[in-house]
Amino acid sequence: DIEQETEKSATDASGIDTDKKVVENVVTKNPDVRTDFLPDRKRDEDKAKEIERLKKEWLEKQIALKKEMVEITYSYWDGSGHRRTITVPKGSTIGEFLEKARQDLAKDFFELRKQNGSDLMYVKEDIIIPSDISFYDLIVTKARGKSGPLFHFDVHDDIRLVNDARIEKDESHPGKVCERSWYEKSKHIFPASRWEAYDPDKTYSKYTIK
Protein backbone atom coordinates (compact mmCIF):
# COMPACT_ATOMS: atom_id res chain seq x y z
CA ASP A 1 0.00 0.00 0.00
CA ILE A 2 1.03 3.72 -0.17
CA GLU A 3 2.02 3.92 3.52
CA GLN A 4 4.33 0.93 3.24
CA GLU A 5 5.89 2.23 0.07
CA THR A 6 6.89 5.51 1.77
CA GLU A 7 8.83 3.54 4.41
CA LYS A 8 10.99 1.93 1.78
CA SER A 9 14.33 3.44 0.93
CA ALA A 10 13.80 6.12 -1.64
CA THR A 11 15.66 5.83 -4.90
CA ASP A 12 16.46 8.45 -7.44
CA ALA A 13 15.67 8.24 -11.10
CA SER A 14 18.97 6.41 -11.78
CA GLY A 15 18.18 3.73 -9.23
CA ILE A 16 20.87 4.90 -6.74
CA ASP A 17 19.90 4.67 -3.08
CA THR A 18 19.79 8.30 -1.85
CA ASP A 19 20.18 7.18 1.81
CA LYS A 20 23.78 6.18 1.07
CA LYS A 21 26.47 8.85 1.37
CA VAL A 22 28.11 9.38 -1.96
CA VAL A 23 31.83 10.26 -1.65
CA GLU A 24 32.83 12.61 -4.39
CA ASN A 25 36.41 13.36 -5.60
CA VAL A 26 38.38 14.93 -2.69
CA VAL A 27 41.84 16.52 -3.19
CA THR A 28 44.18 15.76 -0.28
CA LYS A 29 47.67 17.20 0.43
CA ASN A 30 50.63 15.01 -0.44
CA PRO A 31 53.02 15.32 2.53
CA ASP A 32 55.98 14.59 0.27
CA VAL A 33 55.38 17.63 -1.96
CA ARG A 34 56.89 21.06 -0.99
CA THR A 35 54.28 23.79 -0.69
CA ASP A 36 56.21 26.41 1.30
CA PHE A 37 56.68 28.48 -1.86
CA LEU A 38 52.95 28.77 -2.38
CA PRO A 39 51.07 31.87 -1.15
CA ASP A 40 50.12 31.57 2.52
CA ARG A 41 48.48 34.62 4.03
CA LYS A 42 48.84 33.57 7.65
CA ARG A 43 52.46 32.56 7.21
CA ASP A 44 53.25 35.89 5.54
CA GLU A 45 51.53 37.80 8.34
CA ASP A 46 53.47 35.86 10.99
CA LYS A 47 56.72 36.50 9.14
CA ALA A 48 55.99 40.25 8.89
CA LYS A 49 55.21 40.39 12.63
CA GLU A 50 58.47 38.62 13.47
CA ILE A 51 60.49 40.99 11.28
CA GLU A 52 58.81 43.97 12.96
CA ARG A 53 59.53 42.50 16.41
CA LEU A 54 63.22 41.98 15.60
CA LYS A 55 63.47 45.48 14.13
CA LYS A 56 61.95 47.01 17.26
CA GLU A 57 64.27 44.94 19.47
CA TRP A 58 67.32 46.05 17.46
CA LEU A 59 66.31 49.73 17.62
CA GLU A 60 65.82 49.51 21.39
CA LYS A 61 69.31 48.02 21.77
CA GLN A 62 70.82 50.83 19.68
CA ILE A 63 69.06 53.48 21.76
CA ALA A 64 70.38 51.86 24.94
CA LEU A 65 73.88 51.67 23.45
CA LYS A 66 73.83 55.38 22.54
CA LYS A 67 72.96 56.22 26.14
CA GLU A 68 75.97 54.34 27.50
CA MET A 69 78.75 56.61 28.74
CA VAL A 70 82.21 56.52 27.23
CA GLU A 71 85.39 58.13 28.59
CA ILE A 72 87.25 60.17 25.99
CA THR A 73 90.94 60.87 26.50
CA TYR A 74 92.06 63.82 24.40
CA SER A 75 94.78 66.41 24.25
CA TYR A 76 94.15 70.10 23.75
CA TRP A 77 96.73 71.00 21.11
CA ASP A 78 98.09 74.50 20.75
CA GLY A 79 101.56 73.49 19.65
CA SER A 80 102.00 71.32 22.69
CA GLY A 81 99.67 68.81 24.31
CA HIS A 82 97.49 69.30 27.38
CA ARG A 83 95.83 65.98 28.17
CA ARG A 84 92.29 65.83 29.48
CA THR A 85 89.58 63.22 30.06
CA ILE A 86 85.87 63.75 29.62
CA THR A 87 82.84 61.44 29.75
CA VAL A 88 79.96 61.68 27.26
CA PRO A 89 77.14 59.44 25.98
CA LYS A 90 78.19 57.29 23.01
CA GLY A 91 75.42 58.90 20.99
CA SER A 92 77.02 62.34 21.34
CA THR A 93 78.21 63.96 18.14
CA ILE A 94 81.75 65.27 17.80
CA GLY A 95 80.27 68.77 17.80
CA GLU A 96 78.56 68.18 21.16
CA PHE A 97 81.76 66.70 22.56
CA LEU A 98 83.80 69.71 21.39
CA GLU A 99 81.47 72.14 23.11
CA LYS A 100 81.66 70.19 26.35
CA ALA A 101 85.45 70.00 26.05
CA ARG A 102 85.63 73.74 25.36
CA GLN A 103 83.67 74.49 28.52
CA ASP A 104 86.08 72.36 30.52
CA LEU A 105 89.20 73.79 28.86
CA ALA A 106 88.01 77.39 29.19
CA LYS A 107 88.76 77.20 32.92
CA ASP A 108 92.47 77.05 32.10
CA PHE A 109 92.71 78.54 28.61
CA PHE A 110 91.36 82.07 28.46
CA GLU A 111 91.29 82.20 24.63
CA LEU A 112 88.56 79.54 24.57
CA ARG A 113 86.12 81.47 26.75
CA LYS A 114 84.94 83.65 23.87
CA GLN A 115 84.62 80.78 21.42
CA ASN A 116 82.20 77.90 20.98
CA GLY A 117 82.48 74.27 19.98
CA SER A 118 82.24 75.00 16.27
CA ASP A 119 85.53 76.91 16.48
CA LEU A 120 87.32 73.71 17.49
CA MET A 121 88.14 70.49 15.65
CA TYR A 122 88.75 66.90 16.76
CA VAL A 123 91.58 64.90 15.24
CA LYS A 124 91.91 61.19 15.97
CA GLU A 125 94.65 58.98 14.52
CA ASP A 126 95.56 61.78 12.07
CA ILE A 127 91.97 62.00 10.81
CA ILE A 128 89.85 65.15 11.15
CA ILE A 129 86.45 63.91 12.33
CA PRO A 130 83.38 65.89 11.12
CA SER A 131 81.28 67.49 13.83
CA ASP A 132 78.10 65.63 12.79
CA ILE A 133 79.65 62.18 13.28
CA SER A 134 78.87 60.53 16.62
CA PHE A 135 81.06 58.27 18.74
CA TYR A 136 78.38 55.62 18.22
CA ASP A 137 78.93 55.87 14.44
CA LEU A 138 82.67 55.32 14.85
CA ILE A 139 82.11 52.37 17.18
CA VAL A 140 79.54 50.43 15.13
CA THR A 141 81.43 50.90 11.86
CA LYS A 142 84.79 50.14 13.50
CA ALA A 143 86.21 53.14 11.69
CA ARG A 144 89.96 53.36 11.28
CA GLY A 145 92.44 56.15 10.82
CA LYS A 146 95.98 56.44 9.54
CA SER A 147 97.66 55.40 12.78
CA GLY A 148 95.05 53.39 14.69
CA PRO A 149 91.36 52.70 15.30
CA LEU A 150 88.90 55.57 15.58
CA PHE A 151 86.58 53.57 17.84
CA HIS A 152 88.94 53.34 20.85
CA PHE A 153 88.92 56.49 22.93
CA ASP A 154 91.30 55.55 25.68
CA VAL A 155 95.08 55.41 25.33
CA HIS A 156 96.94 52.12 25.20
CA ASP A 157 99.89 50.44 23.50
CA ASP A 158 100.03 47.09 21.75
CA ILE A 159 101.82 44.85 24.26
CA ARG A 160 101.43 41.63 22.27
CA LEU A 161 104.73 39.85 21.64
CA VAL A 162 104.14 39.85 17.89
CA ASN A 163 106.36 41.22 15.19
CA ASP A 164 104.38 40.46 12.07
CA ALA A 165 103.67 43.21 9.52
CA ARG A 166 100.56 41.34 8.42
CA ILE A 167 98.98 41.75 11.87
CA GLU A 168 97.46 45.11 12.58
CA LYS A 169 98.69 46.80 15.73
CA ASP A 170 96.22 47.35 18.55
CA GLU A 171 97.22 50.81 19.66
CA SER A 172 95.15 53.84 20.54
CA HIS A 173 96.42 57.40 20.80
CA PRO A 174 94.69 60.38 22.42
CA GLY A 175 92.64 62.45 20.02
CA LYS A 176 93.60 66.09 19.60
CA VAL A 177 91.31 69.06 20.12
CA CYS A 178 92.55 72.29 18.57
CA GLU A 179 91.30 75.62 17.33
CA ARG A 180 90.43 75.71 13.63
CA SER A 181 92.36 78.97 13.37
CA TRP A 182 95.48 77.26 14.77
CA TYR A 183 95.13 74.46 12.22
CA GLU A 184 94.82 76.87 9.30
CA LYS A 185 98.04 78.60 10.36
CA SER A 186 99.92 75.39 11.11
CA LYS A 187 98.68 72.76 8.64
CA HIS A 188 101.99 72.82 6.77
CA ILE A 189 103.87 71.90 9.96
CA PHE A 190 104.05 68.50 11.68
CA PRO A 191 101.85 67.04 13.12
CA ALA A 192 99.07 68.97 11.37
CA SER A 193 100.71 68.29 8.01
CA ARG A 194 99.73 64.62 8.42
CA TRP A 195 96.09 65.25 9.16
CA GLU A 196 93.44 64.61 6.55
CA ALA A 197 89.66 64.77 6.34
CA TYR A 198 87.61 61.76 7.37
CA ASP A 199 86.53 59.57 4.47
CA PRO A 200 84.41 56.53 5.48
CA ASP A 201 85.12 54.87 2.13
CA LYS A 202 88.88 55.07 2.43
CA THR A 203 90.79 52.04 3.68
CA TYR A 204 94.24 52.25 5.20
CA SER A 205 96.08 49.04 4.35
CA LYS A 206 98.43 49.47 7.28
CA TYR A 207 99.13 52.06 9.90
CA THR A 208 102.19 54.25 9.62
CA ILE A 209 103.73 56.59 12.16
CA LYS A 210 106.41 58.93 10.85
Side-chain angles (χ1 to χ4, degrees), residues 4-53:
Q4 291 176 334
E5 287 179 356
T6 57
E7 292 177 354
K8 294 179 180 180
S9 295
T11 58
D12 63 11
S14 302
I16 300 175
D17 191 343
T18 55
D19 286 344
K20 294 180 179 179
K21 295 181 179 178
V22 179
V23 179
E24 298 179 352
N25 292 331
V26 177
V27 179
T28 58
K29 180 179 178 181
N30 185 340
D32 298 324
V33 177
R34 287 186 62 229
T35 60
D36 56 320
F37 61 90
L38 296 174
D40 186 324
R41 184 175 180 180
K42 185 178 185 307
R43 183 183 64 211
D44 292 344
E45 289 178 349
D46 290 343
K47 184 177 180 179
K49 288 179 180 179
E50 178 64 8
I51 291 174
E52 188 61 29
R53 184 189 70 79

Side-chain angles (χ1 to χ4, degrees), residues 146-210:
K146 294 174 68 177
S147 55
L150 300 178
F151 54 90
H152 287 163
F153 309 106
D154 59 348
V155 178
H156 65 267
D157 296 322
D158 190 339
I159 60 174
R160 294 175 298 175
L161 300 178
V162 176
N163 186 19
D164 189 338
R166 296 169 300 175
I167 298 177
E168 180 179 85
K169 288 186 176 182
D170 179 28
E171 297 180 343
S172 179
H173 311 96
K176 291 181 175 63
V177 171
C178 70
E179 295 181 76
R180 292 185 180 276
S181 58
W182 179 91
Y183 172 70
E184 290 300 325
K185 292 184 296 184
S186 310
K187 59 185 178 182
H188 61 290
I189 305 171
F190 181 87
S193 59
R194 278 183 52 83
W195 300 350
E196 60 182 73
Y198 174 69
D199 182 353
D201 297 322
K202 186 170 184 177
T203 301
Y204 297 95
S205 58
K206 62 180 181 179
Y207 297 151
T208 58
I209 301 178
K210 296 182 181 179

